[in-house]
Every structure is written in structure tokens, then in C-alpha cells.
């Protein structure tokens, strides 16, 4: 290890450095604007495909232009937005299925909270699931909202500017700002809100762990059935989508990213991928192509009238300069039934 030695440099110096490395910049002022609003560091991830490999000075390949870097960045941004649209719909549908399956199934006539608060019962989860962490996290959030509400109510009550009626109205509005506040203001037991509110509070990662933690195969199968996916595959897909969503949420490079864990794909013919693309080390199962396959399938199930797959193909057609091979796309991908292009379209 060595001490960090790279200095912070100005925008003009950044332009000069890129030119020194061999990048053609025909409109320096325009390039300066991009570096100002996007940053050199973020754009550097999109410069790598145009640079010579394994070289400490990061020189660019001959003929590389700044506009190519920006075009790749623009493609990745549009791709993230499109993927985020699909993930959002799938995430919302998954939350809904948890409530539709688990609550009614475990509702008992002699136990009023058994269905609405099924998640409180440790017996619904396997031994590997950290149920205590779930309950503590929800309790902490509930206590935090209770404290915030109490402080805001005290501030309103101490204000000499309002009548008692106006104070009551304002406090009521504060109570209704979110469901946690509403719940603690109106119900004294159980301590935590019902499942349909709690499920909405979980992150996608927490939702993924919750699904995997269900002790009964029948529960996982009932939820996954809505998506026409075996329960073990659906658990894998939720894990993968959590990673992808985090990339999108943090505006991170996505187009050629390698997945830490490949999702489990279905056994049907259209899901079979080459282990490695010819003359490369690229594994389609661990690249974005496999994610796009599962998103296309899930979007068909949750939003059959959506134009999502068409928009994806149109995006790729719009950016012919992007090497989709780096995303894991096989050479014959245009013939795949998920992406079948119209006769008048070309890639």
C-alpha cells in the first residue's frame, strides 16, 4: 500500500488531462459543462471501454472521442430509468402479494390480530431468519415517529397564535402525515401496525429476506405463483433485483456490470444461455442480459399491456454504438421471443 497522491484539479485541468491521454475533445467548453454537472469521476467509468487495458496512465485508444463517452453515459442513464420502471412495478406487486396471501391465510376467528399481524409470530419464519431484527427495526421506527409526533404536538399546543380548535386540527394533520403516526395515535395494541402497512415500510432487500425467511414452502409458492415462477427462482430473482435496484437508485454504472451472483433462470428453451460468449470471458448469466430476461417475464405477468420490452429494444436500436455483447447479449438475441423485432427495425 502507498499514500494517496492524486491532487484535486480544476475543470480546465481535467480537460487537458483527457486530451493528454489521447481523447479527442472537439468542443472543450461543452465537455467542460458535462464534467461540471456529471463529474470526471462518474464519467471515468464510461471511459474505460475506450482506454487501453492494464495501463497505469489510462491512455485512450486511437480515434476515441469525448462524445462517445457521453453517448455511453446517456445510454446507461436511459437504461437505468427503464429498468427502474420495471423493478418498481414488480416490487409493488410483490408487496401486494405478501398481503394478499399471508394475511387472509393466517386470520383466525378467535385471534383478531392473527392475520393482520401475522409477521409478529416467529413461527412463520425459519430458524435462519433474523426475526428479532425485523421486530426491533419496526419498533424503533414506531418509537421514533411517536417521539416526533409528541414534539410537534407540544409545539402546536404551546403556540399562542391558534385557538384550541385550530390546534386540534393541526395535530390531527400531523398524526396523518404517515401511517406509523396514525397508528400510534389511534390504537394501543398490538404495538406495531398491520402487515399491509409494515410491508410498505420494508426496503426491497428486507422484502427479499422476508420472502426467503418464510418457513413454509406453500407460502412462498403461493406468492411466486402470481408471477408464474417457481418459489426458489423467485427468491433468487428478488435477491438479484435488490442489487440492480440499488445500482439504479445510486445512479451507478449498469450497462456492462457483472452480477455478484447469477440469478437462477427457468429451464425453458428461451432461458438457455451460452456459458461464455464466443472469443470472450463474458458469461451472459452473470451480466445484465439475464436480468433483462427475468424483467421481461415478470413485466408480462404484472403489467401485460406494458410496452416495456418494446421500449428496451428501441433503446438499443437508438444506440447502435453501444457494444451489447458486454451486457451479455448473445449474437442471435434479436430472434429471442422476448425481443422479437419488427421487420422494419434493425440493430
Amino acid at each position: 500500500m502507498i499514500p494517496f497522491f492524486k491532487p484535486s484539479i480544476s475543470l480546465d485541468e481535467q480537460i487537458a488531462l483527457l486530451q493528454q491521454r489521447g481523447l479527442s475533445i472537439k468542443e472543450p467548453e461543452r465537455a467542460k459543462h458535462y464534467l461540471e454537472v456529471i463529474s470526471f469521476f462518474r464519467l471515468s467509468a464510461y471511459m474505460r471501454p475506450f482506454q487501453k487495458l492494464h495501463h497505469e496512465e489510462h491512455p485512450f485508444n486511437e480515434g476515441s472521442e469525448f462524445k462517445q463517452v457521453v453517448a455511453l453515459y446517456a445510454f446507461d442513464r436511459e437504461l437505468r430509468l427503464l429498468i427502474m420502471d420495471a423493478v418498481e412495478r414488480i416490487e409493488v406487486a410483490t408487496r401486494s402479494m405478501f398481503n394478499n396471501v399471508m394475511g387472509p391465510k393466517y386470520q383466525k376467528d378467535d385471534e383478531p390480530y392473527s392475520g393482520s399481524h401475522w409477521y409478529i409470530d416467529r413461527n412463520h419464519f425459519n430458524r435462519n431468519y433474523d426475526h428479532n431484527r425485523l421486530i426491533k427495526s419496526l419498533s424503533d421506527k414506531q418509537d421514533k415517529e411517536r417521539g416526533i409526533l409528541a414534539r410537534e404536538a407540544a409545539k402546536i399546543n404551546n403556540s399562542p397564535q391558534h385557538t384550541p380548535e385550530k390546534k386540534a386540527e393541526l395535530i390531527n394533520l400531523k398524526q396523518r402525515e404517515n401511517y406509523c403516526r396514525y397508528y400510534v395515535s389511534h390504537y394501543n395494541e398490538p404495538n406495531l401496525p398491520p402487515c399491509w402497512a409494515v410491508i410498505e415500510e420494508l426496503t426491497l432487500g428486507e422484502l427479499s429476506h422476508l420472502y426467503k425467511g418464510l418457513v413454509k414452502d406453500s407460502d412462498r409458492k403461493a406468492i411466486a405463483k402470481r408471477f408464474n415462477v417457481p418459489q426458489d427462482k423467485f427468491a433468487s430473482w428478488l435477491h438479484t433485483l435488490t442489487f440492480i435496484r440499488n445500482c439504479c437508485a445510486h445512479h451507478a454504472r449498469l450497462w456492462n456490470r457483472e452480477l455478484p451472483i447469477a440469478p437462477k433462470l427457468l429451464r425453458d428453451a428461451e432461458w438457455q444461455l451460452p456459458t461464455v460468449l464466443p472469443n470472450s470471458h463474458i458469461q451472459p448469466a452473470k451480466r445484465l442480459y439475464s436480468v433483462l430476461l427475468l424483467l421481461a417475464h415478470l413485466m408480462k405477468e404484472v403489467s401485460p399491456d406494458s410496452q416495456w420490452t418494446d421500449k428496451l429494444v428501441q433503446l438499443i436500436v437508438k444506440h447502435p454504438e453501444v457494444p451489447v455483447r458486454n451486457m451479455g447479449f448473445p449474437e442471435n438475441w434479436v430472434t429471442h421471443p422476448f425481443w422479437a423485432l419488427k421487420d422494419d427495425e434493425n440493430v
Side-chain angles (χ1 to χ4, degrees):
M1 297 179 68
I2 61 173
F4 185 81
F5 61 90
K6 297 181 180 180
S8 180
I9 60 178
S10 68
L11 292 172
D12 289 328
E13 290 171 321
Q14 292 172 25
I15 294 290
L17 177 60
L18 292 174
Q19 291 174 324
Q20 178 185 333
R21 291 176 175 176
L23 183 63
S24 174
I25 303 179
K26 296 181 179 180
E27 299 180 75
E29 285 302 314
R30 186 174 178 83
K32 184 176 177 179
H33 171 75
Y34 280 112
L35 291 172
E36 184 177 33
V37 299
I38 300 175
S39 88
F40 187 108
F41 182 74
R42 184 177 293 277
L43 279 178
S44 65
Y46 303 93
M47 297 176 188
R48 292 177 192 136
F50 306 101
Q51 293 173 315
K52 295 179 181 179
L53 298 175
H54 314 302
H55 198 296
E56 292 183 0
E57 299 300 322
H58 311 295
F60 287 88
N61 298 319
E62 186 176 352
S64 298
E65 299 183 24
F66 186 81
K67 68 178 183 179
Q68 294 175 298
V69 176
V70 173
L72 186 55
Y73 173 82
F75 169 79
D76 197 41
R77 179 180 179 277
E78 291 182 72
L79 180 66
R80 286 197 307 270
L81 292 173
L82 188 59
I83 288 177
M84 197 64 173
D85 173 51
V87 172
E88 177 190 352
R89 300 192 201 196
I90 294 161
E91 180 181 341
V92 169
T94 302
R95 295 180 191 277
S96 179
M97 284 309 299
F98 260 98
N99 293 325
N100 293 337
V101 169
M102 300 300 291
K105 178 176 180 179
Y106 291 104
Q107 183 63 56
K108 301 177 182 177
D109 293 338
D110 57 340
E111 297 179 25
Y113 315 132
S114 54
S116 61
H117 291 72
W118 66 268
Y119 67 91
I120 292 178
D121 189 345
R122 180 68 180 84
N123 294 321
H124 292 314
F125 301 92
N126 59 49
R127 71 176 78 180
N128 296 321
Y129 182 71
D130 195 344
H131 184 256
N132 290 334
R133 181 179 179 180
L134 170 70
I135 299 302
K136 184 179 184 306
S137 175
L138 295 172
S139 297
D140 288 347
K141 180 176 178 58
Q142 191 85 331
D143 291 341
K144 180 180 178 181
E145 290 297 335
R146 183 184 285 110
I148 293 174
L149 178 60
R151 290 192 294 272
E152 291 181 344
K155 185 177 180 180
I156 292 171
N157 282 324
N158 292 332
S159 173
Q161 301 175 351
H162 303 303
T163 64
E165 292 77 12
K166 184 62 176 179
K167 290 178 180 180
E169 178 186 343
L170 292 174
I171 291 174
N172 182 261
L173 289 174
K174 292 293 184 182
Q175 291 174 349
R176 295 176 181 275
E177 282 191 359
N178 61 59
Y179 192 80
C180 281
R181 293 186 181 190
Y182 179 82
Y183 189 82
V184 299
S185 302
H186 291 78
Y187 305 101
N188 58 8
E189 63 172 314
N191 182 53
L192 296 174
C195 61
W196 48 84
V198 165
I199 289 294
E200 295 298 328
E201 293 294 328
L202 302 181
T203 66
L204 182 56
E206 291 170 332
L207 197 67
S208 173
H209 287 300
L210 189 73
Y211 178 79
K212 188 176 181 181
L214 295 176
V215 69
K216 291 185 178 181
D217 281 351
S218 59
D219 291 338
R220 294 194 300 275
K221 287 179 180 178
I223 293 172
K225 183 179 180 181
R226 174 61 184 80
F227 303 94
N228 195 22
V229 182
Q231 60 95 2
D232 63 320
K233 303 292 192 301
F234 192 61
S236 170
W237 292 10
L238 287 178
H239 179 75
T240 295
L241 292 181
T242 298
F243 172 78
I244 294 297
R245 187 193 185 284
N246 289 340
C247 287
C248 293
H250 292 91
H251 322 297
R253 173 183 52 83
L254 189 61
W255 75 281
N256 65 342
R257 186 176 291 275
E258 185 170 352
L259 303 177
I261 300 176
K264 296 179 181 179
L265 301 181
L266 303 183
R267 298 180 182 276
D268 307 71
E270 61 265 30
W271 292 86
Q272 302 309 304
L273 300 175
T275 303
V276 178
L277 294 183
N279 304 314
S280 77
H281 299 291
I282 297 173
Q283 304 175 54
K286 295 195 70 174
R287 294 295 178 111
L288 197 61
Y289 186 73
S290 64
V291 178
L292 296 176
L293 286 179
L294 67 88
L295 286 176
H297 171 87
L298 293 173
M299 283 294 284
K300 180 181 177 182
E301 298 299 322
V302 304
S303 188
D305 295 328
S306 168
Q307 301 293 313
W308 190 83
T309 54
D310 293 338
K311 291 178 181 178
L312 176 65
V313 172
Q314 290 166 10
L315 175 61
I316 295 173
V317 171
K318 178 183 173 183
H319 292 272
E321 75 283 356
V322 173
V324 294
R325 176 185 176 87
N326 290 18
M327 300 166 66
F329 278 61
E331 291 184 4
N332 64 341
W333 73 272
V334 292
T335 65
H336 193 285
F338 285 179
W339 322 122
L341 295 174
K342 298 176 183 178
D343 292 339
D344 59 345
E345 291 178 329
N346 296 291
V347 175

